[in-house]
Protein backbone atom coordinates (compact mmCIF):
# COMPACT_ATOMS: atom_id res chain seq x y z
CA UNK A 1 0.00 0.00 0.00
CA UNK A 2 1.01 3.64 -0.33
CA UNK A 3 3.26 4.96 2.39
CA UNK A 4 4.54 8.49 2.88
CA UNK A 5 7.52 9.22 5.10
CA UNK A 6 8.56 12.74 6.03
CA UNK A 7 11.99 13.81 7.25
CA UNK A 8 14.04 16.94 7.76
CA UNK A 9 12.28 18.58 10.67
CA UNK A 10 14.13 20.04 13.62
CA UNK A 11 14.85 23.10 15.73
CA UNK A 12 15.89 26.30 14.00
CA UNK A 13 16.20 29.94 14.97
CA UNK A 14 13.88 32.54 13.54
CA UNK A 15 15.13 33.67 10.16
CA UNK A 16 16.71 30.32 9.46
CA UNK A 17 15.92 27.65 6.89
CA UNK A 18 14.95 24.00 6.77
CA UNK A 19 14.24 21.55 3.99
CA UNK A 20 11.61 18.89 4.50
CA UNK A 21 11.43 15.74 2.41
CA UNK A 22 8.64 13.27 1.78
CA UNK A 23 9.22 9.92 0.10
CA UNK A 24 6.46 7.73 -1.28
CA UNK A 25 6.51 3.96 -1.61
CA UNK A 26 3.95 1.48 -2.83
CA UNK A 27 2.76 3.20 -5.98
CA UNK A 28 3.81 5.41 -8.90
CA UNK A 29 4.62 8.75 -7.32
CA UNK A 30 4.31 10.70 -10.55
CA UNK A 31 0.58 9.94 -10.78
CA UNK A 32 -0.18 11.80 -7.54
CA UNK A 33 -0.82 15.38 -6.60
CA UNK A 34 1.12 15.97 -3.39
CA UNK A 35 0.86 18.62 -0.73
CA UNK A 36 2.15 19.83 2.61
CA UNK A 37 -0.05 20.61 5.57
CA UNK A 38 0.83 21.60 9.12
CA UNK A 39 -0.79 21.36 12.50
CA UNK A 40 -0.25 22.71 16.00
CA UNK A 41 -1.87 21.23 19.11
CA UNK A 42 -5.52 22.15 19.41
CA UNK A 43 -5.75 23.59 15.91
CA UNK A 44 -7.04 22.32 12.62
CA UNK A 45 -4.51 20.94 10.17
CA UNK A 46 -3.89 23.71 7.68
CA UNK A 47 -2.81 23.80 4.08
CA UNK A 48 0.72 24.93 3.28
CA UNK A 49 1.45 24.12 -0.37
CA UNK A 50 0.51 21.76 -3.20
CA UNK A 51 2.27 20.73 -6.40
CA UNK A 52 0.82 19.10 -9.48
CA UNK A 53 2.00 15.87 -11.04
CA UNK A 54 4.46 17.42 -13.45
CA UNK A 55 5.91 19.77 -10.88
CA UNK A 56 5.16 22.88 -12.92
CA UNK A 57 2.05 23.91 -11.04
CA UNK A 58 2.11 25.03 -7.42
CA UNK A 59 -0.12 26.82 -4.95
CA UNK A 60 0.77 28.25 -1.55
CA UNK A 61 -1.00 29.45 1.54
CA UNK A 62 -0.77 33.22 1.91
CA UNK A 63 1.14 32.82 5.15
CA UNK A 64 4.07 31.07 3.44
CA UNK A 65 4.01 32.59 -0.05
CA UNK A 66 7.45 33.90 -0.94
CA UNK A 67 9.18 32.07 1.93
CA UNK A 68 8.47 28.40 1.19
CA UNK A 69 9.05 26.48 -2.03
CA UNK A 70 7.48 23.13 -2.85
CA UNK A 71 9.14 20.86 -5.40
CA UNK A 72 9.22 17.23 -6.45
CA UNK A 73 11.48 14.69 -8.09
CA UNK A 74 9.37 11.96 -9.64
CA UNK A 75 12.44 9.84 -10.41
CA UNK A 76 13.17 9.69 -6.68
CA UNK A 77 9.53 9.35 -5.57
CA UNK A 78 10.08 12.41 -3.44
CA UNK A 79 8.82 15.88 -2.81
CA UNK A 80 10.35 18.70 -0.80
CA UNK A 81 9.48 21.84 1.10
CA UNK A 82 12.24 24.41 1.26
CA UNK A 83 11.42 26.76 4.11
CA UNK A 84 13.24 30.07 4.48
CA UNK A 85 12.85 33.13 6.68
CA UNK A 86 11.22 30.92 9.27
CA UNK A 87 9.11 32.53 11.96
CA UNK A 88 8.02 31.19 15.36
CA UNK A 89 4.51 31.00 13.91
CA UNK A 90 5.76 28.31 11.51
CA UNK A 91 6.28 25.95 14.45
CA UNK A 92 4.12 22.88 13.79
CA UNK A 93 4.09 19.27 12.79
CA UNK A 94 4.35 19.14 9.02
CA UNK A 95 2.57 16.42 7.06
CA UNK A 96 2.79 15.39 3.44
CA UNK A 97 -0.32 14.19 1.68
CA UNK A 98 -1.09 12.59 -1.67
CA UNK A 99 -4.06 12.04 -3.90
CA UNK A 100 -4.48 10.94 -7.50
CA UNK A 101 -7.31 13.23 -8.46
CA UNK A 102 -7.21 16.41 -6.39
CA UNK A 103 -5.05 19.50 -6.82
CA UNK A 104 -6.52 20.86 -3.64
CA UNK A 105 -6.05 22.95 -0.52
CA UNK A 106 -8.59 20.86 1.40
CA UNK A 107 -7.25 18.22 3.76
CA UNK A 108 -10.37 16.09 3.21
CA UNK A 109 -9.43 15.69 -0.46
CA UNK A 110 -6.26 13.74 0.29
CA UNK A 111 -6.22 9.98 0.56
CA UNK A 112 -2.74 9.28 1.92
CA UNK A 113 -0.85 10.95 4.75
CA UNK A 114 2.54 10.68 6.33
CA UNK A 115 3.16 10.55 10.06
CA UNK A 116 4.54 14.07 10.25
CA UNK A 117 7.81 15.76 11.11
CA UNK A 118 8.18 18.40 13.81
CA UNK A 119 9.47 21.86 12.99
CA UNK A 120 10.23 24.21 15.87
CA UNK A 121 11.30 27.80 15.28
CA UNK A 122 12.75 29.63 18.26
CA UNK A 123 12.59 33.39 18.62
Amino acid sequence: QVQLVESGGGLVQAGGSLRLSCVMSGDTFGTYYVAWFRQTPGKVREFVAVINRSGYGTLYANSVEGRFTISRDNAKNAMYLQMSSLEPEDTATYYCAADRSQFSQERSDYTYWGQGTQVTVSS
Side-chain angles (χ1 to χ4, degrees), residues 70-116:
I70 188 172
S71 61
R72 67 189 295 163
D73 185 339
N74 288 344
K76 294 183 178 180
N77 292 347
M79 74 157 172
Y80 309 98
L81 186 68
Q82 178 66 48
M83 305 185 294
S84 302
S85 301
L86 282 161
E87 304 167 352
E89 293 74 21
D90 296 316
T91 295
T93 301
Y94 284 71
Y95 298 89
C96 61
D99 192 87
R100 271 190 161 155
S101 59
Q102 301 285 347
F103 182 78
S104 172
Q105 302 178 62
E106 300 297 326
R107 64 189 183 278
S108 60
D109 288 335
Y110 288 87
T111 304
Y112 301 105
W113 291 86
Q115 293 300 304

Side-chain angles (χ1 to χ4, degrees), residues 5-10 17-23 36-38 48 68-71 78-83 86 90 92-96 116-119:
V5 179
E6 303 96 336
S7 62
S17 300
L18 276 176
R19 186 193 194 209
L20 305 183
S21 299
C22 174
V23 177
W36 289 97
F37 288 76
R38 65 187 183 185
V48 175
F68 290 10
T69 302
I70 188 172
S71 61
M79 74 157 172
Y80 309 98
L81 186 68
Q82 178 66 48
M83 305 185 294
L86 282 161
D90 296 316
T93 301
Y94 284 71
Y95 298 89
C96 61
T117 186
Q118 178 67 37
V119 172

